[in-house]
Amino acid sequence: MNIPFTQQLSTIAPEKFIKLLCDNINPEVIVVGPNFSFGYKGRGSPKTLVAFEKLYRFKTEISEFVLINKTIVSSTLIRKLIAEGQYMQVERFWGRAFHPEVKFAVY
């Protein structure tokens, strides 16, 4: 199931977002980076997910930062590079070919 990003979704509290996610997708495992944030104004964190594991019956895995040449690889960095048209850099950090004509989402 796809949960579209809307203005209403952007104002949802982290706890309500977790409920929405679990009600619609029912994840077994949620994998996030250590600096992951979600919910209204980014108030949710990996610790928030861990706090709701038992209630919603999922497991949270918090990955380590991925560093390439002392640069933290993140979705924010990838989106910035794509917006700037720096596709060679995107490929370097992504570790695979990038095709700007293919529509996709980076979370």
Side-chain angles (χ1 to χ4, degrees):
M1 165 166 239
N2 183 16
I3 302 172
F5 187 79
T6 63
Q7 179 64 32
Q8 182 181 3
L9 185 64
S10 73
T11 62
I12 197 167
E15 297 80 6
K16 288 187 179 185
F17 181 79
I18 293 170
K19 180 174 179 1
L20 178 70
L21 184 69
C22 292
D23 287 349
N24 287 278
I25 299 174
N26 194 28
E28 291 182 27
V29 179
I30 299 175
V31 181
V32 297
N35 61 343
F36 176 72
S37 64
F38 66 98
Y40 184 60
K41 295 190 176 183
R43 292 184 179 141
S45 69
K47 288 182 181 181
T48 310
L49 289 170
V50 170
F52 283 87
E53 286 180 335
K54 288 183 181 176
L55 178 62
Y56 291 109
R57 296 185 179 105
F58 64 84
K59 177 74 178 136
T60 305
E61 290 184 14
I62 305 168
S63 66
E64 306 252 338
F65 285 113
V66 173
L67 294 171
I68 296 179
N69 294 331
K70 299 181 182 178
T71 299
I72 296 174
V73 180
S74 68
S75 58
T76 302
L77 173 64
I78 298 298
R79 283 192 302 270
K80 177 181 176 287
L81 293 172
I82 290 170
E84 294 172 354
Q86 296 186 42
Y87 304 125
M88 301 259 315
Q89 288 286 66
V90 170
E91 291 180 0
R92 181 172 151 237
F93 289 118
W94 231 352
R96 65 177 190 257
F98 172 74
H99 303 283
E101 67 279 358
V102 176
K103 295 191 182 230
F104 69 98
V106 176
Y107 300 98

